[in-house]
Amino acid sequence: GLWELPFSTARGCPYRCNWCAKPTWGRSYAVHSPERVVQDIHALLQKFSPDRIGFTDDIFAIRPPWLRSFRNLLGRPIRYRCLTRADLVKDPNYVDDLARSGCEEVWLGVESGSDSVLQAMDKEVTVTEIQRAAGLLKDAGIRRGFFVQLGYPGETAADVDQTRKLLRLLQPEEIGISISYPLPGT
């Protein structure tokens, strides 16, 4: 029902998750300045009038000062959704900046409800961090989407059950499930 205009502020990802396409993209990360992003967004909003922006970055606003500048430069909130990591959503000020800049929905790469699977993935995120992030986003009125992977090498039925329990506990508004599959070089 919404016309969502895709927009990218950054390219790459500096994290080391071992199932990701790092052999293709590497661990480089480059981001446009908040000033440039706001200027481009205002021009696109004026020209196309989308219902909202869909930030396509692998991880939106990796640096909290970038997000704060973005929020301040916007002038007024814009409707948008984005993807980020649970370990970035640990500070209530970061979540406040998301909400005050107009963020309506955040998708988190949750992947699993099992710390042992997350460790095997080199995800560098814990289930506790996922729970905290989900709570902060919910408290701020931001919808939550969770990306989940099933079938990661070494994952057991007990691990899958932990993921099921986490989803029932946190009740995200959206869930995207994929089956783990090897990418070249992973």
Side-chain angles (χ1 to χ4, degrees), residues 34-173:
E35 293 82 5
R36 162 118 186 242
V37 170
V38 168
Q39 178 184 354
D40 289 349
I41 285 175
H42 284 314
L44 290 169
L45 290 173
Q46 184 175 5
K47 183 172 183 174
F48 297 109
S49 301
D51 296 318
R52 76 175 176 188
I53 300 291
F55 287 109
T56 61
D57 308 14
D58 287 330
I59 304 169
F60 179 72
I62 285 179
R63 299 179 183 107
W66 186 99
L67 178 59
R68 174 63 51 94
S69 293
F70 171 75
R71 174 191 147 193
N72 290 334
L73 290 165
L74 275 175
R76 62 176 177 79
I78 59 165
R79 294 179 69 189
Y80 72 92
R81 74 178 175 121
C82 64
L83 291 70
T84 194
R85 289 174 51 97
D87 56 343
L88 292 176
V89 186
K90 61 186 172 195
D91 180 356
N93 293 320
Y94 182 90
V95 176
D96 186 58
D97 286 337
L98 286 171
R100 288 178 182 252
S101 60
C103 183
E104 298 176 333
E105 185 175 315
V106 169
W107 279 79
L108 297 173
V110 169
E111 316 312 349
S112 177
S114 165
D115 279 323
S116 63
V117 172
L118 294 172
Q119 288 171 359
M121 292 177 164
D122 289 331
K123 182 73 178 165
E124 299 176 340
V125 170
T126 66
V127 172
T128 300
E129 288 172 314
I130 292 166
Q131 291 171 330
R132 177 168 169 75
L136 287 171
L137 292 167
K138 183 177 182 178
D139 290 348
I142 298 173
R143 292 174 48 87
R144 295 128 339 124
F146 288 3
F147 291 114
V148 174
Q149 283 190 53
L150 296 175
Y152 195 77
E155 184 178 53
T156 66
D159 294 322
V160 173
D161 193 49
Q162 287 179 312
T163 301
R164 183 190 60 78
K165 287 177 181 175
L166 182 68
L167 294 173
R168 284 191 176 248
L169 173 70
L170 299 179
Q171 305 238 335
E173 288 76 17

Side-chain angles (χ1 to χ4, degrees), residues 8-14 25-33 37 57-59 61-63 66:
S8 180
T9 72
R11 176 183 66 252
C13 174
W25 302 109
R27 286 180 63 186
S28 64
Y29 177 74
V31 63
H32 289 296
S33 71
V37 170
D57 308 14
D58 287 330
I59 304 169
I62 285 179
R63 299 179 183 107
W66 186 99

